[in-house]
């Protein structure tokens, strides 16, 4: 133990710390606290004082979610030790004055600055420190003040708006405007959970703690591919505080899990080979987090290191090691992959070869897009608690019912003995669809009969969860002399890493969307997804369309140049219009507004094209809403009347996209009730019905329509003169099911998906190649909440720009060579203004008031639009991401 620190007691709120032998004494939020041992300030604030506004996004000093105020300055609490805080005044959001808390909660809520919310308390701290020094900050000063705090959701603009508003309210000592009770469809409704998230009182999984709780920790493989010769838990068991070490033989149920293919073992057994560095060899359980970490390092593993397969070429090579040679169960059948192929997809319509032979202009190219890390700000945590002879689990994933099924299988426990409850979720973007910590926490709690928390460190999160797929896309595209598209031939290879995850559907979406949002019918597309020993790849915002869009839109811009047309003009000539057939065969419905997205950016495109000071790139996209292609797709939402209030219950995971507020608005719109009469509950398998996974931009449409169905029943009762009090205890069930046609349907025009969203984005560079502006025109059907929709667009554009320009994910022998701080995530100072243009053409009487999901398409176009803008600047036709030789990234970096 270090010697005592020095303290001082104080008058008038001065920092006072006292030398007290072995005690470390610090002043937090005006109160003196002591600790018997030195520790990181973040741990002291969270674990000892329960100050949950201080978030652990990395514990590496990289993300800013743990920011607190020390002597008036924003400081990261994860790089401060108690022993260095003598004489300092420490303030967290919990210690702000009541007026400051009210102002920041109001400003961040009404500006739409809160999505998943995990970064927000840290932003609020930065805002307070800035406003205290500069009561009237400019937007540039705000950008600078929050430059070291990542937000993966918002694109920063609405956070900046919130700080501007908070500064004004504080500066002018203005009373807070009356909060609007309106929750109607089409209103700019603030999120239901925004105030609690802004002030740090919203609880994420890691914010919970229970009496007697112990900590579980994974022992991960040191190598991507190795044979496990021995696992000796004895050195770990000899350490203080260690409760147990569990290995593969301790799993009571099915060891292999996975949503679609059960190819992912919860633990690798002795004698088996690892498939990636995220493979778990053992779980240790100990009384404290530190003891669990020490024990995980102490488990003695003997490896035989083997050569990993690190690319599609290596996976496909004759005689290559077969990563899943023993096979696995998938939809009740035993599958043994051949040639390391997880999945193949073929789409043939018309005669692409003949169309290309007859084309006036043809372009072709091969594009390489890398894996990308989701970098949601909240690393994975789950807590499992033994209850009776069952287990309750608090999670932060994207689908509690998927977890329900998989934990049940893993433990060999019937589902009725499990209960899964979702806490607030600090972002997902697809990266929390697969199981990560949930099943391991459940296993440890089931075996040791104590509450167990399992958390990934930031690096473990990066190493473990599935990424955006790296793909190689080869395309050949042709048009006639007038620029009318005739056909496309494409070949796609994707690296799905060690496990299937959603690699099949992601490849399928890449194949079904590589034709683009255009009116032509000659398509020849083949795709193959290969297993490798890289980290798994799976769902990530865009779901294969992001990759396909990079290829097809770059080719289309090249074709436009050959045909002597602008990028805008070739799109306008070919844009899918109502009644026409998409390249995948589906007829465009009457509300299709692809042309309108182009017309919305026409003036800006032509203005920038004509100005030699700028370079403007253009790209368009379409994206399905809903799982589609014949897969069962059901949304559910019930309304329960309790305590004179309406409780909205759906398992639709709120991962930052705002689905809870959408459901509230739909109920308000249908029933005429106001938002203060309605509570939206968190997903809970005991209370909320299965609404499927939050994926495929589906919940606004599916859970939203289910909410409408339930709300119509409630309205009928209210119209009969019933009051909520009189309806006490009644439940209204809402369900919406849409049957789509499967892939390969013999129908001439199969309905693959319930709806498609369409969009066009422009990226504008200055002469130096620096981002100036992004214009994003989106066919959203109907904006249930324009404030939220803008936030989705701004955040998606930020993610797309990162994909285009700065983000990378280098691997060496299958091991990520990157930390959170070196991923190249966009910061506030990187982001240009984003102008959102929402196009609402749908029949408001349609499904979910005509809303189409927006969550994914928003990030699909930035990469090809940037590629096009840089090509116009320097004539280099780039085919790899992130783009090199730009203002943001040197060539050959
Ligand atoms: S948790 Fe401290 S900077 Fe990320
Ligand atoms: S709202 Fe900022 S990370 Fe989600």
């Amino acid at each position: 133990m270090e010697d005592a620190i020095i303290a001082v007691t104080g008058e008038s709120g001065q920092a006072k710390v006292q030398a007290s032998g072995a005690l470390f004494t610090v002043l937090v939020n005006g109160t003196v606290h002591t600790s018997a041992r030195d520790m990181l300030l973040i741990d002291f604030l969270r674990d000892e004082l329960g100050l949950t506004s201080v978030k652990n996004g990395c514990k590496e000093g990289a993300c800013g979610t743990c920011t607190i105020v020390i002597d008036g300055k924003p400081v990261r609490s994860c790089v401060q030790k108690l022993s260095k805080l003598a004489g300092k005044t420490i303030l967290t959001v919990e210690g702000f004055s009541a007026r400051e808390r009210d102002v920041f909660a109001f400003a961040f809520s009404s500006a739409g600055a809160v999505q998943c919310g995990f970064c927000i308390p840290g932003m609020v701290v930065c805002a307070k420190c800035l406003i205290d020094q500069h009561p009237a900050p400019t937007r540039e000063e705000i950008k600078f003040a929050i430059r070291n705090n990542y937000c993966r959701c918002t694109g920063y603009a609405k956070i900046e708006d919130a700080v501007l508003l908070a500064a004004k309210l504080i500066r002018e000592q203005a009373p807070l405007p009356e909060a609007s009770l309106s929750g109607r469809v089409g209103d700019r409704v603030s999120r239901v959970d925004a105030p609690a998230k802004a002030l740090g009182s919203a609880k994420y999984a890691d914010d919970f703690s229970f009496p007697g709780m112990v900590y579980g920790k994974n022992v991960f493989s040191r190598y991507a591919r190795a044979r496990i010769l021995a696992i000796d838990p004895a050195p770990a068991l000899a350490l203080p505080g260690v409760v147990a070490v569990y290995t593969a033989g301790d799993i009571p149920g099915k060891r292999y899990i996975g949503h679609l293919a059960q190819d992912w073992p919860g633990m690798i057994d002795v004698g088996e080979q690892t498939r990636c560095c995220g493979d778990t060899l053992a779980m240790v359980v100990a009384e404290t987090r530190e003891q669990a970490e020490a024990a995980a390092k102490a488990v003695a593993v003997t490896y035989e290191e083997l050569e990993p397969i690190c690319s599609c070429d290596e996976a496909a090579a004759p005689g290559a090691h077969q990563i899943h040679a023993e096979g696995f169960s998938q939809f009740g059948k035993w599958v043994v992959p051949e040639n390391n192929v997880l999945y193949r997809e073929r789409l043939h319509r018309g005669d692409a070869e003949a169309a290309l032979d007859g084309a006036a202009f043809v372009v072709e190219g091969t594009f390489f897009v890398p894996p990308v890390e989701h970098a949601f700000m909240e690393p994975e945590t789950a807590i499992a608690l033994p209850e009776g002879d069952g287990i309750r689990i608090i999670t932060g994933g994207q689908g509690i019912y998927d977890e329900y099924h998989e934990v049940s299988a893993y433990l060999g426990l019937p589902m009725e003995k499990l209960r899964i409850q979702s806490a607030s979720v600090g972002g997902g973007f697809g990266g929390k669809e697969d199981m990560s910590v949930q099943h391991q926490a459940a296993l440890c709690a089931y075996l040791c009969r104590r509450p167990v928390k399992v958390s990934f460190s930031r690096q473990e999160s990066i190493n473990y969860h599935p990424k955006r797929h790296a793909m190689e896309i080869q395309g050949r595209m042709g048009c006639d002399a007038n620029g009318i598209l005739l056909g496309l031939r494409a070949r796609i290879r994707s690296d799905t890493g060690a496990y299937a995850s959603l690699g099949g559907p992601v490849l399928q979406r890449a194949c079904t969307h590589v034709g683009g949002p255009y009116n032509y019918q000659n398509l020849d597309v083949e795709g193959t997804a290969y297993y490798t020993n890289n980290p798994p790849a799976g769902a990530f915002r865009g779901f294969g369309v992001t990759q396909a869009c990079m290829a097809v839109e770059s080719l289309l811009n090249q074709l436009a140049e050959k045909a002597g047309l602008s990028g805008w003009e070739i799109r306008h000539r070919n844009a899918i219009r109502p009644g026409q057939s998409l390249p995948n065969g589906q007829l465009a419905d009457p509300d299709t507004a692809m042309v309108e997205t182009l017309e919305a950016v026409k003036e800006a495109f032509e203005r920038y094209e004509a100005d030699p000071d700028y370079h403007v790139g253009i790209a368009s996209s379409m994206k399905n809403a809903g799982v589609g292609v014949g897969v069962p797709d059901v949304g559910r939402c019930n309304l329960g009347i309790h305590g004179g209030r309406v409780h909205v219950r759906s398992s639709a995971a709120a991962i930052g996209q705002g689905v809870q507020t959408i459901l509230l608005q739909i109920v308000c719109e249908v029933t005429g009730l106001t938002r203060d009469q309605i509570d939206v509950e968190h997903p809970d398998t005991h209370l909320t019905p299965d609404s499927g996974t939050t994926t495929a931009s589906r919940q606004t449409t599916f859970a939203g329509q289910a909410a409408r169905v339930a709300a119509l029943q409630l309205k009928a009762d209210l119209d009969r003169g019933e009051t909520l009090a009189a309806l006490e205890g009644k439940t209204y069930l809402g369900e919406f099911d849409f049957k789509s046609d499967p892939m390969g349907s013999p129908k001439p025009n199969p309905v693959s998906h319930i709806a498609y969203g369409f969009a066009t984005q422009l990226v504008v560079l200055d002469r130096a190649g620096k981002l100036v502006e992004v214009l994003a025109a989106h066919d959203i059907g109907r904006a249930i909440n324009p404030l939220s929709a803008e936030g989705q667009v701004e955040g998606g554009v930020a993610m797309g720009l990162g994909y285009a320009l700065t983000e990378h994910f280098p691997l060496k022998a299958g091991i990520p060579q990157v930390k959170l701080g070196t991923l190249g995530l966009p910061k506030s100072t990187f982001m240009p203004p984003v102008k959102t243009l929402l196009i609402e053409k749908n029949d408001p009487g349609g499904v979910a008031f005509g809303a189409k999901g927006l969550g994914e398409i928003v990030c699909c176009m930035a990469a090809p639009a940037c590629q096009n803008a840089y090509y116009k600047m320097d004539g280099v036709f780039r085919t790899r991401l992130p783009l090199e030789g730009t203002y943001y990234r040197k060539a050959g970096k």
Side-chain angles (χ1 to χ4, degrees):
M1 170 112 16
E2 296 179 31
D3 277 340
I5 15 186
I6 320 319
V8 198
T9 309
E11 295 153 17
S12 35
Q14 290 298 311
K16 313 281 172 170
V17 185
Q18 193 161 17
S20 54
L23 285 184
F24 297 86
T25 308
V26 288
L27 182 71
V28 179
N29 295 339
T31 301
V32 175
H33 297 275
T34 57
S35 170
R37 62 192 177 96
D38 197 8
M39 64 173 79
L40 288 174
L41 179 58
I42 186 175
D43 291 338
F44 185 70
L45 296 173
R46 286 182 56 79
D47 300 343
E48 306 297 321
L49 304 187
L51 297 170
T52 55
S53 74
V54 184
K55 301 296 184 200
N56 175 7
C58 70
K59 250 190 188 178
E60 298 171 353
C63 74
T65 60
C66 65
T67 306
I68 43 102
V69 189
I70 298 184
D71 289 347
K73 294 200 172 65
V75 174
R76 284 146 200 257
S77 59
C78 70
V79 292
Q80 301 289 323
K81 294 203 85 172
L82 293 187
S83 54
K84 303 286 184 213
L85 296 170
K88 310 278 189 196
T89 298
I90 298 164
L91 193 62
T92 70
V93 174
E94 289 88 345
F96 287 13
S97 71
R99 163 74 179 166
E100 286 173 326
R101 289 168 58 81
D102 288 348
V103 166
F104 284 116
F106 174 82
F108 275 72
S109 301
S110 58
V114 182
Q115 291 191 24
C116 86
F118 201 77
C119 71
I120 297 298
M123 297 289 186
V124 167
V125 165
C126 293
K128 174 189 161 49
C129 294
L130 174 67
I131 295 167
D132 284 351
Q133 296 296 317
H134 302 283
T138 63
R139 187 174 289 273
E140 290 312 307
E141 287 170 336
I142 295 167
K143 277 182 180 291
F144 188 75
I146 61 171
R147 71 196 179 286
N148 292 322
N149 287 43
Y150 287 128
C151 175
R152 192 61 160 160
C153 299
T154 66
Y156 301 101
K158 290 199 167 6
I159 292 175
E160 294 154 19
D161 293 344
V163 181
L164 285 167
L165 176 57
K168 183 171 189 296
L169 290 166
I170 291 171
R171 187 170 67 240
E172 297 177 357
Q173 299 184 351
L176 296 185
E178 202 67 28
S180 167
L181 294 182
S182 167
R184 305 300 284 267
V185 166
D187 286 354
R188 296 173 72 83
V189 175
S190 65
R191 300 258 182 122
V192 293
D193 50 359
K197 285 179 170 175
L199 298 178
S201 57
K203 283 194 163 190
Y204 300 80
D206 193 32
D207 296 332
F208 288 87
S209 128
F210 296 90
M213 189 173 83
V214 289
Y215 295 81
K217 198 76 202 156
N218 302 56
V219 177
F220 286 109
S221 175
R222 187 182 303 161
Y223 306 103
R225 184 177 166 222
R227 191 182 316 280
I228 304 303
L229 302 178
I231 301 174
D232 181 5
L237 288 167
L239 292 176
V242 175
V243 173
V245 177
Y246 302 119
T247 52
D250 294 309
I251 297 167
K254 293 183 177 160
R255 184 156 61 100
Y256 284 76
I257 58 171
H259 283 354
L260 305 178
Q262 285 77 59
D263 64 350
W264 198 334
M267 291 189 220
I268 303 289
D269 209 349
V270 171
E272 296 177 343
Q273 286 190 26
T274 63
R275 297 182 187 83
C276 66
C277 68
D279 276 337
T280 296
L281 310 181
M283 290 297 302
V284 301
V285 181
E287 297 290 341
T288 70
R289 188 169 46 228
E290 293 76 15
Q291 289 169 337
E293 287 167 2
K297 286 185 190 138
V299 172
V301 180
T302 310
Y303 298 90
E304 178 192 351
E305 189 181 356
L306 300 167
E307 191 71 28
I309 289 178
C310 297
S311 67
C312 294
D313 283 341
E314 290 175 19
H321 163 68
Q322 296 301 298
I323 292 169
H324 288 275
E326 70 287 5
F328 50 79
S329 173
Q330 184 175 21
F331 303 123
K333 289 190 186 148
W334 196 255
V335 177
V336 180
E338 289 181 13
N339 304 318
N340 285 316
V341 171
L342 163 67
Y343 183 74
R344 288 189 199 278
E345 184 62 75
R346 289 185 179 80
L347 258 90
H348 292 280
R349 283 180 62 80
D351 187 342
E353 226 37 67
L356 289 166
D357 285 348
F361 304 106
V362 174
V363 293
E364 61 183 308
T366 304
F367 299 83
F368 302 89
V369 293
V372 182
E373 159 64 20
H374 300 72
F376 36 73
M377 282 295 107
E378 178 207 17
E380 299 87 339
T381 288
I383 302 171
L385 303 100
E387 287 189 345
D389 57 354
I391 297 285
R392 175 162 68 101
I393 308 169
I394 297 170
T395 72
Q398 289 185 224
I400 57 167
Y401 279 86
D402 289 331
E403 296 166 359
Y404 203 29
H405 291 107
E406 291 188 54
V407 172
S408 167
Y410 195 59
L411 298 189
L413 260 188
M415 293 208 291
E416 57 269 21
K417 293 196 185 300
L418 292 173
R419 178 179 188 178
I420 318 275
Q421 295 174 297
S422 179
S424 295
V425 183
F429 313 114
K432 291 180 180 170
E433 284 196 36
D434 298 274
M435 300 281 280
S436 54
V437 286
Q438 303 92 324
H439 57 311
Q440 308 293 21
L443 175 76
C444 293
Y446 183 67
L447 294 176
C448 81
R449 306 310 298 167
R450 290 176 66 177
V452 180
K453 178 185 279 190
V454 178
S455 299
F456 281 170
S457 70
R458 174 53 72 176
Q459 196 60 45
E460 288 166 348
S461 172
I462 288 172
N463 290 356
Y464 179 91
H465 67 250
K467 311 297 163 213
R468 189 186 294 291
H469 281 80
M471 289 190 189
E472 177 191 309
I473 305 176
Q474 185 188 31
R476 189 159 181 261
M477 191 177 208
C479 66
D480 70 13
N482 294 316
I484 301 302
L485 287 173
L486 297 175
L488 171 78
R489 179 188 190 276
R491 296 292 179 265
I492 302 175
R493 297 200 305 171
S494 75
D495 176 351
T496 207
Y499 298 110
S501 179
L502 293 160
V506 167
L507 177 72
Q508 191 180 69
R509 287 291 78 64
C511 291
T512 57
H513 285 65
V514 75
Y518 307 111
N519 175 38
Y520 64 105
Q521 281 77 44
N522 296 305
L523 200 69
D524 169 9
V525 180
E526 293 182 5
T528 311
Y530 289 96
Y531 283 115
T532 68
N533 292 118
N534 290 328
F540 192 157
R541 199 176 199 178
F543 208 84
V545 180
T546 317
Q547 294 95 320
C549 189
M550 171 64 193
V552 68
E553 293 297 297
S554 299
L555 286 174
L556 187 61
N557 282 324
Q558 206 177 22
L559 203 52
E561 187 181 25
K562 277 201 166 190
L565 301 172
S566 74
W568 188 92
E569 184 60 38
I570 199 167
R571 285 174 175 79
H572 195 255
R573 289 187 186 187
N574 290 285
I576 190 78
R577 288 162 168 83
Q580 294 177 340
S581 170
L582 285 161
N584 66 13
Q586 181 159 340
L587 290 177
D589 66 34
D591 301 325
T592 296
M594 175 60 208
V595 169
E596 287 83 345
T597 71
L598 284 161
E599 285 167 352
V601 301
K602 182 171 194 271
E603 182 278 329
F605 180 84
E606 289 175 351
R607 175 165 40 87
Y608 281 121
E609 278 278 85
D611 190 332
D613 285 338
Y614 298 101
H615 310 285
V616 58
I618 185 169
S620 298
S621 184
M622 67 180 208
K623 177 75 183 70
N624 58 292
V627 177
V629 293
V631 177
D633 206 359
V634 182
R636 293 188 185 89
C637 179
N638 297 343
L639 305 180
I641 313 300
H642 299 284
R645 302 175 63 75
V646 179
H647 291 251
V648 179
R649 292 172 172 160
S650 173
S651 68
I655 58 174
Q657 84 284 39
V659 68
Q660 291 175 309
T661 312
I662 298 290
L663 298 180
L664 174 132
Q665 287 181 260
I666 288 174
V667 174
C668 285
E669 179 71 25
V670 172
T671 62
L673 296 169
T674 51
R675 65 181 294 171
D676 58 329
Q677 297 172 288
I678 298 170
D679 295 314
V680 187
E681 297 185 357
H682 281 289
D684 180 336
T685 52
H686 271 30
L687 297 174
T688 60
D690 185 359
S691 192
T693 309
T694 291
T695 188
S697 304
R698 62 182 291 280
Q699 292 292 12
T700 293
T701 304
F702 283 78
Q705 179 63 12
R708 189 181 194 190
V709 168
L712 283 167
Q713 300 165 49
L714 170 59
K715 179 174 164 41
D717 277 354
L718 295 174
D719 286 349
R720 274 195 291 275
E722 301 280 14
T723 62
L724 289 181
L727 295 170
E728 180 71 20
K730 192 161 181 184
T731 297
Y732 302 87
L733 307 182
E735 181 172 304
F736 175 64
D737 184 2
F738 181 78
K739 303 247 180 309
S740 52
D741 293 319
M743 293 292 293
S745 164
K747 293 181 184 174
N749 296 108
V751 178
S752 298
H753 293 92
I754 186 170
Y756 289 95
F758 298 89
T760 300
Q761 293 184 357
L762 305 182
V763 169
V764 185
L765 307 176
D766 66 14
R767 278 176 182 265
K770 192 167 179 230
L771 292 164
V772 170
E773 183 182 22
V774 175
L775 286 94
H778 284 263
D779 164 18
I780 186 176
R782 185 152 157 81
I784 303 280
N785 186 337
L787 184 67
S788 250
E790 288 166 11
Q792 288 288 294
V793 174
E794 291 162 7
V797 166
M799 208 170 252
L801 291 174
Y803 186 46
L805 300 172
T806 57
E807 291 183 42
H808 65 155
F809 194 78
L811 292 156
K812 187 172 173 190
I815 313 281
Q817 305 293 300
V818 71
K819 298 172 81 70
L820 185 76
T822 60
L823 283 168
L825 304 176
K827 295 184 167 188
S828 55
T829 43
F830 163 90
M831 279 302 293
V834 177
K835 185 169 183 186
T836 301
L837 305 157
L838 298 179
I839 290 142
E840 299 178 85
K841 190 181 170 191
N842 269 13
D843 172 10
V847 170
F849 293 95
K852 298 181 191 178
L854 179 69
E856 296 185 278
I857 191 171
V858 287
C859 71
C860 292
M861 289 146 284
C866 284
Q867 191 268 9
N868 185 219
Y870 281 106
Y871 174 73
K872 287 179 182 175
M873 181 176 148
D874 61 16
V876 178
F877 191 81
R878 295 163 175 83
T879 55
R880 287 178 188 270
L881 297 180
L883 302 174
E884 293 189 341
T886 70
Y887 181 90
Y888 300 95
R889 193 175 172 85
K890 291 186 174 47
K893 192 175 170 189

